[in-house]
Amino acid sequence: MEDYIKVGKIAAQAREFGKLLIKENASVLEIAEKVENKIKELGGQIAFPVDVSCNYIAAHDSPRYKDTRVLIKGDLVKLDLGVHINGSIVDTACTVEVGTEKYTEMINAVNEALNEVIKIFKPGVKITDIGNAIETAIKKKQFSPIRNLSGHEITSYQLHAGLTIPNYNNGNNTELKEGQIFAVEPFATTGDGIVIEGKPSEIYGLVNEKPVRDSNTKIILKFIKENYKTLPFAKRWIANEFGLLKANMALNTLEREGVIKQYMQLVERSKANVTQAEHTIIVSDNPIVLTK
Ligand code: MN
Ligand code: MN
């Protein structure tokens, strides 16, 4: 519990710090690295590579090794980050528009949806009622929720554990229990409200540990296990440590052998812009927003 309170505060601080870096001509790689360094400075560990997903990319766009992309006026940026200490993880995100005020209402829609959830995140509340609160708040502002992205339960070292929290009324009558921890993440769009897989993200996670023969791959697998366990990691982190050539060789081998899997970017099917808000919340009669 103490760890959760502490990582929640670190994550909130890192998010607010990162928000201020989102502006015209800013490098996405620098934003991600600065936020990751901030997490470490504040005494946390990075739970997954910081995502800086723009426009119709809803999630899983973390800068690549030596990424040269910069933000331009009109970009709609989702900054998503996770922090842990000893496997106690929190997950939080916000949306910022670069140099315009075109998307204020779509940003408000997800923030208001999250506020509605916080009011009712209590023991005995049905998951479908949480989904309904999100859907209602987003539709009230004439946007659509993204139906195939959801919030998720968090347990030790498991970012996506057990139950999911839908962004619409999905009919799941399971009730929330005191003390459960969830990341709740409403997404809104002007499009279809469905995401599909986009480009490979260069974000990986260990899925099936088994022995490998090649010595370079062995060393890198050991590094992954020691540093990230089952939590997601970025190719750029491995490349910074071992060089791009060795990183590529090992990650390709491990992916082919099914030891790690690569996450795909998640893009809105109709290429419409997307906003997101996310907090990690403890179910309680007085719901505790860890990442406030
Ligand atoms: Mn997140
Ligand atoms: Mn999440």
Side-chain angles (χ1 to χ4, degrees):
M1 185 66 184
E2 257 170 54
D3 281 346
Y4 276 108
I5 301 286
K6 192 167 165 196
V7 286
K9 283 185 180 150
I10 294 171
Q13 257 182 278
R15 184 193 62 231
E16 295 309 304
F17 166 80
K19 237 183 200 178
L20 302 174
L21 303 174
I22 298 174
K23 47 193 170 194
E24 217 175 324
N25 293 322
S27 142
V28 292
L29 178 59
E30 267 181 45
I31 294 171
E33 287 183 336
K34 282 181 179 168
V35 173
E36 288 167 357
N37 288 335
K38 176 61 78 177
I39 291 169
K40 288 188 263 186
E41 262 172 52
L42 294 170
Q45 288 177 274
I46 302 161
F48 56 81
V50 168
D51 289 335
V52 187
S53 307
C54 289
N55 306 325
Y56 67 88
I57 303 176
H60 297 174
D61 190 351
S62 190
R64 296 166 192 279
Y65 181 65
K66 296 203 169 157
D67 204 317
T68 57
R69 288 176 292 173
V70 294
L71 298 177
I72 59 171
K73 190 173 175 179
D75 275 342
L76 186 61
V77 183
K78 276 76 65 188
L79 177 71
D80 195 335
L81 60 104
V83 183
H84 81 97
I85 291 177
N86 303 322
S88 298
I89 312 168
V90 296
D91 185 358
T92 184
C94 64
T95 303
V96 179
E97 55 184 318
V98 179
T100 58
E101 286 178 8
K102 284 192 288 189
Y103 305 108
T104 315
E105 279 302 286
M106 196 159 55
I107 294 170
N108 288 344
V110 287
N111 289 335
E112 283 171 25
L114 200 45
N115 285 336
E116 291 304 314
V117 169
I118 292 164
K119 287 183 201 162
I120 59 170
F121 217 65
K122 301 178 180 186
V125 173
K126 291 174 180 164
I127 283 182
T128 195
D129 293 334
I130 305 294
N132 188 48
I134 293 173
E135 182 176 9
T136 303
I138 290 174
K139 284 187 170 167
K140 204 162 115 187
K141 291 203 172 289
Q142 318 295 326
F143 300 105
S144 299
I146 294 189
R147 296 168 71 92
N148 62 339
L149 286 175
S150 23
H152 44 96
E153 195 173 356
I154 293 175
T155 57
S156 182
Y157 283 106
Q158 296 296 328
L159 179 59
H160 295 97
L163 297 168
T164 59
I165 302 289
N167 287 322
Y168 66 103
N169 187 348
N170 75 341
N172 183 349
N173 287 318
T174 308
E175 293 177 1
L176 301 182
K177 291 195 187 97
E178 173 85 38
Q180 283 176 325
I181 300 173
F182 289 93
V184 182
E185 44 188 315
F187 286 84
T189 180
T190 48
D192 289 349
I194 298 287
V195 290
I196 56 173
E197 289 191 339
K199 293 178 190 159
S201 66
E202 297 189 0
I203 303 168
Y204 300 85
L206 190 63
V207 283
N208 179 24
E209 205 187 301
K210 59 184 177 190
V212 288
R213 276 197 302 252
D214 168 64
S215 66
N216 169 55
T217 308
K218 235 180 224 169
I219 290 165
I220 290 182
L221 178 58
K222 184 164 173 271
F223 181 84
I224 291 167
K225 282 194 295 193
E226 284 175 359
N227 287 280
Y228 316 125
K229 295 196 165 63
T230 55
L231 294 172
F233 61 92
K235 179 190 278 187
R236 62 185 158 84
W237 295 350
I238 308 295
N240 286 342
E241 194 73 28
F242 298 95
L244 185 60
L245 191 67
K246 284 185 174 176
N248 271 335
M249 287 196 307
L251 295 176
N252 290 343
T253 303
L254 292 170
E255 193 178 3
R256 199 173 52 239
E257 300 283 325
V259 178
I260 59 173
K261 76 158 184 199
Q262 183 169 188
Y263 294 83
M264 296 291 128
Q265 291 180 354
L266 296 172
V267 304
E268 211 286 327
R269 188 171 65 185
S270 54
K271 297 209 165 167
N273 281 328
V274 175
T275 57
Q276 174 202 17
E278 181 174 23
H279 273 311
T280 300
I281 313 169
I282 304 182
V283 178
S284 168
D285 286 322
N286 290 307
I288 302 163
V289 183
L290 291 166
T291 49
K292 205 166 184 163

